[in-house]
Amino acid sequence: MREILYLEIPTPDMATVRSWLQTDFELGNGEKLLTSEGFRLKIPSATTPAGKALSENLPAELSVFVWSVQRTTYLKVFRWAEQPFPGEGQILRHLTKEIRSRFPHHYPEPPAIDLSQQSIFATLSSAYPLTVKYFQKMPNGEYDLTRAYWWEQRWREGVRNPQQPRQVVFSGKGDWGLRTGDWEKDHPNTQSPVPNPHYDIIYIGGALGAIHAALMAKLGYKVLLVERMPFGRMNREWNISRDEIQSLVNLGLVTPAELETIIAREYKDGFNKFFDANNPAKLRSPVLHTPTVLNLGLDSEKWLQMCGQKLQAAGGEIWDETEFIRADIDISQVILKVKHLPSQIEKQVSGRLLIDAMGTASPIAWQLNGGRAFDSVCPTVGAAIESGFEPGVWDSQYGDVLYSHGDISRGRQLIWELFPGAGDELTIYLFHYHEVNAENPGSLLEMYEDFFTILPEYRRCDMDKLVWKKPTFGYIPGHFSIGSSDRTVAFDRLMAIGDAASLQSPLVFTGFGSLVRNLERLTTLLDIALKHDLLSFRHLNQIRAYQSNVSVTWLFSKGMMVPTGKFLPPQRINAMLNTFFGLLADEPLEVADNFIKDKCDWLTFNRLALKAARKNPALLLWIWELAGPRDLVRWLGSYFNFGRHALVSALLSPWFEGFLNRVGFWLEPRNPGLWLWLLAINYAIATGKPRSRSQVVKTNPEAIIPKSEARISH
């Protein structure tokens, strides 16, 4: 028996597909015999010749059947005999064509809602029944589901109107693509000018913004934090490694003792494994162990509360449940107009600098970057679950960093993450890498319906016995940068950090890790800019978390995205992931650790790329099909920039930092702009350097376990 066709059919309704196959699908030759999940096609009385070996004396017959997993229908065709079935190629082409015509891609949109007429639960119950059912079991479930709906609508608006995004930032200069001239005539700022700025820095966004705001307040700056939600609440948990989070201690934001109080769990190993049952043997891979990647689970709400307390203790202020409306920038200040949501009272406030930390919901990020605010995104859903899994389902000493349990599902390669928390708590995410597309922006609500349906497929459980703590969701963006100035992260008196800046790893796709890894860089450079009033676009745009080794790896994430409207062999993306993660599994521990933490150097990147091409020569063709010529040309620009950066780094690293230490005391007061530029270069050279094996092992020595002990149960 031989498999001769494997298709993904992008519908959860397997019964309709089966019925169509059995009753409506017509074939010109052969006898159609119905089976429980499809049909058999045979030539009456035909068998292989009697003189053949027994294994070949089989009926001339095809078996067509369907099954469902991941809320998706799949079809396979097997041939009984080794020799082709009469007209086999034509039959398969006809079957594929008819299936694609009858069951095309469909990208559902959430219904319009009017919460003055009915609750969010009543409005969404028909379209997303399981999502409504389980959100009703969560504390603050109605509020959180409304927020998920709001976030999806805001994301869709930005994706579909990239050339003319909603205008929220206005400058008296009316320049640099802000398109403020005509708008200002019709919508002038009616607020009176503020004679002196109230604050040095105003942050919009209280998650990542709270961390950086607390640091800057401790440096003596007068800081205001504006947050749309009640402060301290967030719909995400954070994981990081111990070596990365050490920067919070090094910068004086927390003491070692305080740091330990926000760590909910430190697990000993993390697994990376992708479904490979439909891959050829050479494209299957062992479990990749990453014991020092994302192995600290933080109590995110406790951590934010601590940042808030430190911010206020240093003289900062927090305005929560307050929505940003617009910002007006002039030569000496930025004036914000905001609205307190409970009272609906609008007010204005001014500062020397505005920092956008609103993430993908940021209208500022969309405005600053016009048609290319974000190239890619991970629609991410999940939940923190307090208890309810049976003993033995999961050992909380371990985490799933990246895991798939099936092939492409309705145009997406779904990937799981599982991180243990305090006690029996588990935080589980479901996400996919996605190319931003106006027809198919990516849906949180559709993903949530998947999550609540297929969670038992991933980890055995009774959904009705699980105790839900809170939902976790969001759009985590990516931007394919060619060079350090490719993405705009600033304007006069305005800059973006975190997901709004979108300069993070294309693999891990998290603004938190990127912010923490670059925290010293951002804080030091911003301190210099504020001390010397270097708050113009040309100065602030140098303060960024860009790394050339990160920008070159975006092609890796591109290989995990199914282009909208396109059908790929269902196993294709898992095959690509297994190719590369299989190579990492064969490498020393520090290689995978450095790659995932954005510390891969030029030589290692090229060595791994060449090994991947030798192991799977089809990989280059697959990437060409997914990326296309335009993006490959863009990637070549990133690659050459990576090589140039590696050369410059090799030339400057031995002496440049020492030189700056010698000249800084007299150069900074004489030419602060030049000093800022030189420091930015030094951080660009130093950031992202790979760590040695001894450094990796020292971080978590108990985590190093023999490969022979690696076992994953379901």
mmCIF file of all heavy atoms in Angstrom, residues 9 66 513:
data_model
loop_
_atom_site.group_PDB
_atom_site.id
_atom_site.type_symbol
_atom_site.label_atom_id
_atom_site.label_comp_id
_atom_site.label_asym_id
_atom_site.label_seq_id
_atom_site.Cartn_x
_atom_site.Cartn_y
_atom_site.Cartn_z
ATOM 1 N N ILE A 9 -7.980 20.150 3.969
ATOM 2 C CA ILE A 9 -9.239 20.744 3.506
ATOM 3 C C ILE A 9 -9.673 21.748 4.574
ATOM 4 O O ILE A 9 -10.008 21.355 5.697
ATOM 5 C CB ILE A 9 -10.322 19.668 3.288
ATOM 6 C CG1 ILE A 9 -9.799 18.592 2.338
ATOM 7 C CG2 ILE A 9 -11.598 20.297 2.737
ATOM 8 C CD1 ILE A 9 -10.753 17.430 2.137
ATOM 9 N N VAL A 66 -11.143 10.483 4.889
ATOM 10 C CA VAL A 66 -10.925 11.759 5.567
ATOM 11 C C VAL A 66 -10.912 11.537 7.070
ATOM 12 O O VAL A 66 -11.433 10.544 7.577
ATOM 13 C CB VAL A 66 -12.032 12.781 5.201
ATOM 14 C CG1 VAL A 66 -11.950 13.171 3.742
ATOM 15 C CG2 VAL A 66 -13.423 12.258 5.555
ATOM 16 N N GLY A 513 11.066 39.908 25.929
ATOM 17 C CA GLY A 513 12.447 39.446 25.888
ATOM 18 C C GLY A 513 13.361 40.446 25.218
ATOM 19 O O GLY A 513 14.470 40.708 25.683
#
